[in-house]
Amino acid sequence: MAQSADEMSLQVVSAVSNSALLQPGFSLLNFHGDVFFFGQKGWPKRSCPTGVFLLDIKQNELKLKPAFFSKDSCYLPPLRYPALCTLRSNAEPDEYQYIIHGGKTPNNDLSDKLYVMSLVSKNSKKTTFQCIEKDLGGDVPEARYGHTINVVHSRGKSISVIFGGRSYTPLVQRTTEKWNSVVDCLPSVFLIDFEFGCCTSYILPELQDGFAFHVSLARNDTVYILGGHSLQNNTRLPSLYKLKVDLPLGSPAVTCTILPGGISVSSAIVTQTSDAEFVLVGGYQSDNQKRLVCNTIVLEDNKIEIVERVNPDWTPDIKHCRMWFGCDMGKGCVLLGIPGANKQFISDANYFYILRCKGAEKDKEEELTAQICSQTSTEDPGDSTPFEDSEEFCFSAEANNFDVDDTDTYNEDDEEDESETGYWITCSASCNIDINTWVPFYSTELNKPAMILCSSRAGHWVHAQCMDLSESMLLHLSESNVKYFCNEHVDLNKGLQTPKKVVHLKKQPMKPLRRKSMMKLTTPVKKSFLRRLFE
């Protein structure tokens, strides 16, 4: 196989502090040269409720700067391993949106929702996005992760293509021992019409087995699917499929062709270097062996060409580490990360690199028009040591890609420790609120749990959910001017409270009965009446 002579440079990035926020499965969004991070570990904190951060590189440091959502945006949970691609506007080619489908939430629930994120405004101090959830109907794809989504164009129309991924075992097939086991999704191809939200599934005879963590590239009306990992067979077959989508006036038509020259790889990263050229880097060729070979992929009108290229000078740490992860930064750059050797003792022991697949000054303003989508991070690490949560990602780098004011850059030291105070306290002995697994319980909650003040002694705050309060009761207590006592102090409050003052009713004097009336009373009644009269 011929090799591409284009050089690749690997830049070491030294972590300064708190880099553990980036976990396998994160995503990077490139809006007009600005790179944004999405898919953090754990639920967003109040410092950045959106969970979307600007990667701000300035003065040899890279920091996470919180981004904001517009008021008409929906709630977007932090999703890892989602399917993600760009959707360009037909009227304004320079304007585009990101489509996000599926993925894992911090408590390992799978999402079946589709979100559309667009840039509303950006200045040196604030970046605002609009996030909208798209309603889907028809053959809606089941909740999944590790899949891909692309946009194809045919006969002046556009449609998205979803394929692959993994999901949990159906409820009827689950057992206690394997309750959270995952399986490959059926090898169905889903077409989604963004204008009407209609979903249609197709079963093609060429696609026999399901797989996930593959790479997909789209150009015009064609999607190329490369590599992937099958759980059923535990294999990474050198597969290469060509999906062609035709959008006539009637129903869409989808055909599949098996092509030779595939690559046995999963979880690879793809970055685009020119209009028709891509670079494939990273991934795994077996469960315990990383793939250190890089490839150039060229897409022409009706064919695909894959050739090896000169590899970067991998460092010994990269060569000998068991796992690695990363994501495409756009314009021929890839952010790579490896866990440190002592990560079980040091929470921020991740090492990062920026891989540049073309010269730093080459084609800086080049417009990338082809669609690209890949599962850019490694499969779930499984029994590997989990990284610690963080709210700031700051490391040194020799880059001048951004020129953003340092004002309003988030610094974790500027806030109080929410693990001890604020919303993430242990409010009672039965408290089960965990910052890493909490999900909204009441309709009024967004990014933090609802709390209510217990009026015992000095008073303390408790989570409404831990107190088993219904939503109607919580609203009643918040609107009424009454004292509330938590489950642990309600009995004590009853014992210490001042007895209510008993109001004695004034007895009205009874009018004496006439003699004739008393004569009509029987003897027992007369005796009872006289007794009460003279008491």
Side-chain angles (χ1 to χ4, degrees):
M1 182 180 292
Q3 283 195 345
S4 174
D6 295 338
E7 294 184 359
M8 303 173 67
S9 62
L10 185 66
Q11 177 185 348
V12 180
V13 177
S14 301
V16 175
S17 62
N18 298 331
S19 62
L21 184 61
L22 278 88
Q23 288 273 338
F26 73 91
S27 302
L28 296 179
L29 317 177
N30 190 313
F31 281 94
H32 307 295
D34 294 324
V35 182
F36 295 86
F37 163 76
F38 169 70
Q40 69 176 68
K41 178 192 177 230
W43 294 97
K45 296 183 180 180
R46 63 180 180 178
S47 56
C48 183
T50 62
V52 179
F53 297 84
L54 168 68
L55 296 186
D56 181 16
I57 300 178
K58 188 178 181 182
Q59 297 179 352
N60 297 329
E61 288 186 349
L62 191 152
K63 300 179 181 180
L64 291 184
K65 186 175 181 180
F68 301 86
F69 281 176
S70 59
K71 293 182 179 180
D72 57 347
S73 295
C74 66
Y75 174 70
L76 176 66
L79 300 168
R80 294 191 301 140
Y81 308 103
L84 184 144
C85 72
T86 57
L87 174 64
R88 293 189 176 272
S89 172
N90 294 329
E92 300 180 7
D94 293 339
E95 298 297 326
Y96 57 90
Q97 303 167 314
Y98 270 90
I99 305 171
I100 303 172
H101 179 267
K104 272 188 176 183
T105 64
N107 57 345
N108 287 329
D109 287 335
L110 300 185
S111 171
D112 62 349
K113 300 183 182 300
L114 187 143
Y115 302 94
V116 180
M117 183 182 295
S118 56
L119 181 65
V120 176
S121 63
K122 183 183 184 303
N123 53 42
S124 61
K125 294 185 178 181
K126 184 177 181 180
T127 303
T128 303
F129 292 99
Q130 181 190 48
C131 184
I132 298 176
E133 179 183 343
K134 190 70 176 180
D135 294 329
L136 302 178
D139 302 330
V140 179
E142 65 178 319
R144 61 186 66 199
Y145 71 102
H147 57 302
T148 56
I149 183 172
N150 299 89
V151 176
V152 294
H153 310 277
S154 173
R155 302 175 186 264
K157 294 182 290 185
S158 301
I159 202 166
S160 66
V161 181
I162 290 180
F163 179 78
R166 292 176 183 165
S167 62
Y168 286 126
T169 305
L171 289 175
V172 295
Q173 301 177 12
R174 292 188 185 183
T175 61
T176 304
E177 294 78 11
K178 298 182 179 180
W179 185 259
N180 289 327
S181 61
V182 294
V183 295
D184 292 320
C185 297
L186 295 176
S188 301
V189 178
F190 293 89
L191 300 184
I192 300 180
D193 186 344
F194 280 104
E195 183 178 359
F196 303 103
C198 299
C199 304
T200 309
S201 63
Y202 296 82
I203 299 177
L204 305 176
E206 294 81 4
L207 300 171
Q208 293 293 326
D209 299 321
F211 52 88
F213 295 99
H214 52 281
V215 169
S216 66
L217 301 171
R219 183 173 178 83
N220 298 329
D221 61 352
T222 304
V223 177
Y224 296 93
I225 298 175
L226 177 67
H229 177 249
S230 172
L231 274 179
Q232 182 178 357
N233 304 320
N234 192 24
T235 57
R236 294 170 175 84
L237 296 176
S239 58
L240 177 58
Y241 299 96
K242 176 183 177 181
L243 298 179
K244 192 174 183 63
V245 181
D246 187 18
L247 301 177
L249 293 177
S251 301
V254 182
T255 59
C256 179
T257 305
I258 301 177
L259 301 178
I263 298 177
S264 177
V265 65
S266 65
S267 301
I269 305 170
V270 173
T271 184
Q272 190 169 3
T273 55
S274 68
D275 179 60
E277 183 176 295
F278 304 82
V279 175
L280 178 74
V281 61
Y284 297 84
Q285 60 188 29
S286 68
D287 290 345
N288 299 317
Q289 186 175 3
K290 302 188 306 297
R291 187 177 186 273
L292 299 176
V293 179
C294 301
N295 296 89
T296 297
I297 303 176
V298 179
L299 298 184
E300 296 184 353
D301 291 337
N302 199 29
K303 68 176 183 178
I304 179 173
E305 182 182 6
I306 304 175
V307 297
E308 290 187 6
R309 61 183 294 149
V310 178
N311 298 328
D313 187 12
W314 298 118
T315 65
D317 289 334
I318 291 180
K319 291 180 179 179
H320 298 108
C321 68
R322 185 181 68 87
M323 59 173 286
W324 57 350
F325 58 97
C327 192
D328 173 32
M329 299 178 67
K331 297 191 175 182
C333 295
V334 174
L335 179 64
L336 291 174
I338 62 172
N342 298 320
K343 66 180 182 299
Q344 63 269 30
F345 302 111
I346 306 175
S347 60
D348 295 335
N350 299 331
Y351 302 147
F352 290 91
Y353 304 82
I354 295 180
L355 178 65
R356 303 184 188 280
C357 302
K358 62 178 182 178
E361 301 298 328
K362 179 182 178 182
D363 297 334
K364 269 191 173 182
E365 303 300 327
E366 182 181 31
E367 292 298 331
L368 306 180
T369 57
Q371 292 296 323
I372 166 179
C373 179
S374 64
Q375 277 304 317
T376 54
S377 299
T378 178
E379 291 99 335
D380 239 337
D383 57 354
S384 62
T385 305
F387 300 131
E388 297 297 327
D389 194 6
S390 171
E391 284 213 290
E392 181 181 7
F393 174 40
C394 179
F395 58 83
S396 298
E398 294 181 1
N400 296 309
N401 297 347
F402 308 96
D403 187 13
V404 185
D405 197 332
D406 283 337
T407 307
D408 294 339
T409 299
Y410 171 71
N411 187 344
E412 190 176 18
D413 296 333
D414 295 340
E415 293 206 15
E416 58 184 287
D417 184 4
E418 292 190 338
S419 63
E420 298 179 2
T421 60
Y423 294 94
W424 310 109
I425 60 174
T426 302
C427 67
S428 61
S430 60
C431 180
N432 57 2
I433 300 296
D434 186 349
I435 189 174
N436 294 317
T437 59
W438 177 83
V439 293
F441 181 78
Y442 301 99
S443 63
T444 56
E445 293 175 329
L446 180 59
N447 51 55
K448 53 184 178 291
M451 304 191 74
I452 188 169
L453 179 65
C454 175
S455 300
S456 63
R457 298 182 181 178
H460 66 99
W461 290 90
V462 293
H463 300 112
Q465 184 177 350
C466 296
M467 299 297 108
D468 296 326
L469 293 177
S470 64
E471 184 161 349
S472 59
M473 178 58 68
L474 179 61
L475 293 175
H476 171 71
L477 293 173
S478 63
E479 296 172 356
S480 303
N481 186 21
V482 295
K483 290 184 177 182
Y484 171 79
F485 293 89
C486 68
N487 296 340
E488 295 180 357
H489 295 120
V490 62
D491 294 333
L492 179 63
N493 171 63
K494 290 181 179 178
L496 296 179
Q497 65 184 2
T498 304
K500 294 182 179 180
K501 183 177 180 181
V502 179
V503 179
H504 297 280
L505 298 178
K506 186 176 180 181
K507 294 182 179 180
Q508 296 293 334
M510 298 180 62
K511 295 181 179 180
L513 296 176
R514 296 181 180 181
R515 184 176 180 85
K516 291 183 178 180
S517 299
M518 292 187 63
M519 291 298 295
K520 297 180 179 179
L521 296 176
T522 60
T523 303
V525 175
K526 184 186 301 182
K527 290 182 179 181
S528 174
F529 172 77
L530 293 176
R531 188 181 303 112
R532 284 184 293 152
L533 182 63
F534 293 102
E535 283 181 352

